[in-house]
Amino acid sequence: MSLYKQLLFPLLVASLALVAACSDTDNSVATMSASEADRSALMALDSASLAAASMDVHSFANSDAVRVTHVSLDLDVDFDAKQLAGTATLSLDRIDPQADRLVLDSRALTIEAVEVGTAEGFSDADWVMGEALGALGQPIVIALDDQADRVRLSYRTSPQASGLQWLSPEQTADKENPFLFSQAQAIHARSFIPLQDTPGVRVTYDATIRTPQHLLATMSAEMEETINKDGEYHFDMPQAIPPYLIAIGVGNLDFQSMSERTGVYAEPYILEAAAAEFEDTERMMEVTEALYGPYRWGRYDILMLPASFPFGGMENPRLSFITPTVVAGDKSLVSLIAHELAHSWSGNLVTNSTWRDLWLNEGFTTYLTYRIMEEVYGKARERQEAVLGYQDILNELDALPPEDTVLNIELGQRDPDDVFSNIPYEKGALFLRELEYKVGRDNFDAFLKDYFDHFAFQSITTQQFKDYLEAELVAKFPETLDMARINEWIHEPGLPVDHPVPESDAFKKVDTARAAWLKGALAAVDIDTDNWTVHQWLYFLNNMPKTMEMDRLAELDGSFGLTGTSNNEIAHSWLKIAIRNDYDPAFERLEDYLVDIGRRKLIVPLYEELAKSPEHMEFARRIYKEARPGYHPLAQGSVDEALGLAESD
């Protein structure tokens, strides 16, 4: 036991005791060990100081000194208590031989025991849990002796864990079985696993998961080939991934293969439809491999989640989580599958080191998505989707403060969930599109393929990307590329002058038809929409005037059945128009829509629109009271903010 520890630990205990005395919360500080008299010092820093000292401002982890390299989970899934309970055993790389502590991230976890040791065995550890610091949660600081290369924590999650959603049978499709799923991005892994929750740390993992016997457990890892619902499941992820890609889903699930290396897990009601909708997944994989190198994750399967899933999809490796709202019956929304698959190269293979580097993940993935869609479905469709994406950028530029329209955004310690927007996605993709235009597609494809290979299974910063770009592309094309323009894209708000502007001939026809209808020169029923794509419908609706007369809305609805459309994206655009113009015939559908769907992209803008008038606000709060229990915690937080509700309301 070092003299350093003996001298500093009393300072820590006194400091944390003072924090505890001043705190209004019960769980702000916890210290655990066999005997206070025998404790050794762990640190003399509070939670804020730990976060400031970390390599990632959204993590307490001292990963520059001691880094977690492998996580071994042994967990029971308890639907009655709404908790995961068991152990997490962490393998360590002692980067700094003098380091005498390990700092982990946690949020609302109950830690029951902490042990340190080696392959020979474990012994009780001295440890302390610091005060809670907003979205960052609480640090866990564990004393390490000179030999320790692993730590084992016994713990259980909170029923309110931000990274887990527990659905009762009544909230699922069959009304008979519960469902559990995780959402760890951005910093929610710490709410169900104590670990170093930063994308700058990559870990392999294995897991043993025990569930009720009639339910199937799935994870973002290699799964057992034979599905046997026996209540105990084993998983292994041999490739190192950032913690936000650790994922679990448990429910009444069956499996249907789509190809030798792709398939769908889903509740029985949607399994066949999802497999048919996503049958082009193998083709998407093949064209991406041809462009950017081999798929390095073994299988690529899809898990269909309940409608309460707050996102379109989540790119958990080997098992993308997908919302049922994209099963439209005509493959019109499968760009989402292309996007999540593309993450297997950009994001999962080459990862943003911190959340201010998010654009390295999402911008590259959005660019790859457009390329995949063009290869599989043709240039015309890709052009339509690119125009809609460009309009998303323009809408964000109007809505966001300038500092939040920078690619390499300065987050400080803001919750990274609050700053996800179309900027890292679409502005990032547009920047890459400009690079492609300037050096030629073949040259840019070769650059990207080498980039993914060079940084494979690494987490990198924006500066590392810039250095690589300058050496491998700018230096080869000095007549068309310069770092000043590149820095403007990455570090300045808005869009640079003379940026690429996507266009679509198919949308020009829509513009003509809309203009004629608005002038009264063409009746809605006479608009030739027989061959319109979903994207043309979205473009038609998204570019309507903000204010419209009731009889014009009724004409559109009567001619095209917009209130009753089964396409959730079209319904979203139409319902937003209906709210703005108080079109009563659509409000029953609006109520059902908000109750049945939990995807933030689709519901939050509708609540925000409702919140603009007192009459609609009353309607919104009434519907939200019914819908809220079925929403994911992330969706709840967004809607709470939109409606001006405190978290306790």
Side-chain angles (χ1 to χ4, degrees):
M1 191 176 294
S2 70
L3 179 62
Y4 170 82
K5 294 180 182 179
Q6 295 176 18
L7 292 175
L8 286 186
F9 186 72
L11 296 176
L12 171 66
V13 172
S15 173
L16 293 179
L18 177 61
V19 173
C22 298
S23 175
D24 293 329
T25 61
D26 294 333
N27 67 344
S28 60
V29 175
T31 58
M32 301 288 177
S33 188
S35 168
E36 292 236 355
D38 294 333
R39 293 180 189 275
S40 56
L42 305 181
M43 63 175 188
L45 299 171
D46 59 18
S47 293
S49 299
L50 281 174
S54 174
M55 296 177 68
D56 179 353
V57 296
H58 293 106
S59 172
F60 299 111
N62 63 333
S63 55
D64 57 336
V66 182
R67 182 164 298 192
V68 176
T69 59
H70 183 82
V71 178
S72 184
L73 299 171
D74 190 313
L75 298 172
D76 293 326
V77 179
D78 188 337
F79 279 97
D80 291 332
K82 295 184 178 180
Q83 68 178 22
L84 301 177
T87 62
T89 303
L90 313 179
S91 300
L92 310 177
D93 178 8
R94 304 286 292 269
I95 298 171
D96 179 358
Q98 303 302 313
D100 53 13
R101 66 186 182 189
L102 169 68
V103 185
L104 304 176
D105 296 299
S106 75
R107 184 189 294 166
L109 296 178
T110 298
I111 308 298
E112 296 171 334
V114 180
E115 302 166 284
V116 297
T118 67
E120 303 302 318
F122 290 88
S123 60
D124 290 342
D126 292 315
W127 63 282
V128 63
M129 181 175 281
E131 75 272 20
L133 192 63
L136 299 188
Q138 296 173 270
I140 305 172
V141 187
I142 303 166
L144 300 175
D145 60 37
D146 294 339
Q147 303 302 316
D149 64 3
R150 61 196 68 190
V151 170
R152 182 166 64 201
L153 300 97
S154 299
Y155 74 99
R156 50 191 167 89
T157 63
S158 164
Q160 290 77 43
S162 63
L164 300 175
Q165 183 167 20
W166 301 86
L167 297 177
S168 67
E170 295 74 23
Q171 294 172 313
T172 62
D174 65 13
K175 308 300 181 186
E176 295 180 1
N177 296 282
F179 204 109
L180 162 68
F181 64 87
S182 65
Q183 173 56 39
Q185 193 182 42
I187 56 172
H188 299 282
R190 66 191 68 181
S191 74
F192 59 97
I193 307 171
L195 41 57
Q196 293 179 323
D197 191 12
T198 166
V201 170
R202 303 180 73 99
V203 299
T204 54
Y205 81 90
D206 66 83
T208 296
I209 305 294
R210 282 171 288 274
T211 73
Q213 287 199 357
H214 61 291
L215 302 180
L216 179 66
T218 59
M219 293 193 78
S220 55
E222 291 182 359
M223 296 187 275
E224 296 162 315
E225 292 185 6
T226 302
I227 295 178
N228 183 14
K229 296 181 181 180
D230 60 3
E232 182 170 310
Y233 305 95
H234 303 278
F235 307 91
D236 181 59
M237 172 50 80
Q239 295 99 347
I241 59 173
Y244 74 84
L245 294 177
I246 299 175
I248 183 172
V250 180
N252 177 30
L253 299 169
D254 290 329
F255 176 79
Q256 183 168 328
S257 176
M258 296 187 296
S259 72
E260 186 175 340
R261 56 177 175 169
T262 69
V264 176
Y265 292 89
E267 294 176 273
Y269 87 98
I270 201 172
L271 179 61
E272 185 176 345
E277 193 84 356
F278 307 143
E279 65 183 358
D280 296 332
T281 302
E282 176 65 34
R283 174 64 180 148
M284 292 180 180
M285 293 180 72
E286 291 170 353
V287 301
T288 314
E289 287 181 308
L291 288 170
Y292 304 120
Y295 179 79
R296 309 189 193 203
W297 304 92
R299 290 190 59 83
Y300 181 78
D301 293 318
I302 289 167
L303 174 62
M304 298 302 301
L305 290 183
S308 60
F309 184 47
F311 301 110
M314 180 61 207
E315 64 269 18
N316 306 310
R318 301 180 62 94
L319 188 69
S320 287
F321 285 12
I322 301 295
T323 172
T325 63
V326 299
V327 180
D330 58 4
K331 302 183 184 180
S332 60
L333 304 177
V334 297
S335 63
L336 178 69
I337 304 300
H339 185 91
E340 305 312 332
L341 171 64
H343 273 298
S344 302
W345 286 261
S346 52
N348 298 1
L349 187 65
V350 182
T351 306
N352 49 285
S353 185
T354 72
W355 293 110
R356 70 170 305 203
D357 304 302
L358 174 64
W359 79 275
L360 291 175
N361 182 327
E362 297 298 354
F364 278 70
T365 298
T366 303
Y367 174 83
L368 263 62
T369 301
Y370 288 128
R371 295 296 307 280
I372 295 169
M373 295 302 291
E374 179 180 340
E375 292 291 328
V376 177
Y377 298 105
K379 185 71 173 178
R381 176 163 175 175
E382 184 274 335
R383 288 288 80 195
Q384 293 177 48
E385 295 187 355
V387 171
L388 293 175
Y390 180 71
Q391 290 192 336
D392 287 339
I393 302 177
L394 300 183
N395 291 335
E396 293 284 25
L397 294 180
D398 288 339
L400 295 174
E403 61 269 21
D404 283 356
T405 66
V406 173
L407 285 181
N408 192 210
I409 188 172
E410 182 54 63
L411 292 179
Q413 286 190 346
R414 283 189 294 170
D415 187 338
D417 284 339
D418 296 338
V419 291
F420 272 67
S421 74
N422 281 309
I423 295 302
Y425 291 75
E426 296 291 349
K427 180 181 174 181
L430 196 63
F431 165 46
L432 298 184
R433 192 183 294 274
E434 178 173 291
L435 294 179
E436 175 205 322
Y437 290 169
K438 288 190 172 184
V439 304
R441 174 166 284 190
D442 290 345
N443 291 322
F444 192 59
D445 283 348
F447 166 78
L448 284 181
K449 186 175 182 179
D450 290 343
Y451 165 78
F452 292 134
D453 188 60
H454 182 81
F455 290 111
F457 299 106
Q458 296 182 52
S459 299
I460 68 170
T461 64
T462 295
Q463 187 59 53
Q464 286 175 280
F465 165 73
K466 286 170 53 180
D467 291 343
Y468 186 81
L469 178 69
E470 185 171 17
E472 300 299 326
L473 203 64
V474 176
K476 296 175 182 178
F477 297 94
E479 69 283 359
T480 57
L481 297 179
D482 67 84
M483 291 306 297
R485 175 74 170 188
I486 289 166
N487 283 324
E488 183 180 4
W489 270 105
I490 294 174
H491 300 294
E492 297 299 324
L495 295 174
V497 175
D498 298 327
H499 60 268
V501 178
E503 295 181 342
S504 167
D505 290 339
F507 284 168
K508 293 177 182 177
K509 298 175 183 177
V510 176
D511 284 331
T512 300
R514 186 194 313 103
W517 178 74
L518 289 170
K519 292 177 181 177
L522 182 67
V525 72
D526 293 327
I527 300 175
D528 183 9
T529 63
D530 289 345
N531 296 314
W532 276 17
T533 65
V534 166
H535 310 95
Q536 286 172 296
W537 277 110
L538 292 173
Y539 185 77
F540 179 70
L541 295 172
N542 290 347
N543 292 281
M544 284 290 180
K546 297 286 186 183
T547 303
M548 299 178 66
E549 297 176 358
M550 198 65 57
D551 61 337
R552 306 310 308 276
L553 295 173
E555 182 187 359
L556 284 178
D557 200 9
S559 299
F560 305 125
L562 294 170
T563 296
T565 179
S566 61
N567 186 291
N568 288 298
E569 295 277 2
I570 293 175
H572 168 83
S573 294
W574 172 246
L575 291 173
K576 192 151 56 171
I577 292 172
I579 295 168
R580 287 173 182 159
N581 295 279
D582 203 17
Y583 179 64
D584 286 341
F587 272 66
E588 182 177 349
R589 172 68 192 283
L590 173 62
E591 181 171 347
D592 291 340
Y593 191 91
L594 293 175
V595 171
D596 293 341
I597 294 174
R599 185 179 173 188
R600 290 200 302 182
K601 171 189 171 183
L602 298 181
I603 63 171
V604 173
L606 299 181
Y607 280 111
E608 290 174 341
E609 204 64 50
L610 287 166
K612 293 178 181 178
S613 74
E615 314 85 62
H616 290 161
M617 175 67 89
E618 183 179 350
F619 171 87
R621 291 193 173 190
R622 176 178 65 80
I623 300 307
Y624 184 45
K625 185 176 182 180
E626 177 185 355
R628 192 179 195 276
Y631 288 171
H632 188 278
L634 297 178
Q636 291 176 352
S638 297
V639 179
D640 285 347
E641 181 178 357
L643 299 184
L645 301 172
E647 291 185 3
S648 60
D649 287 353

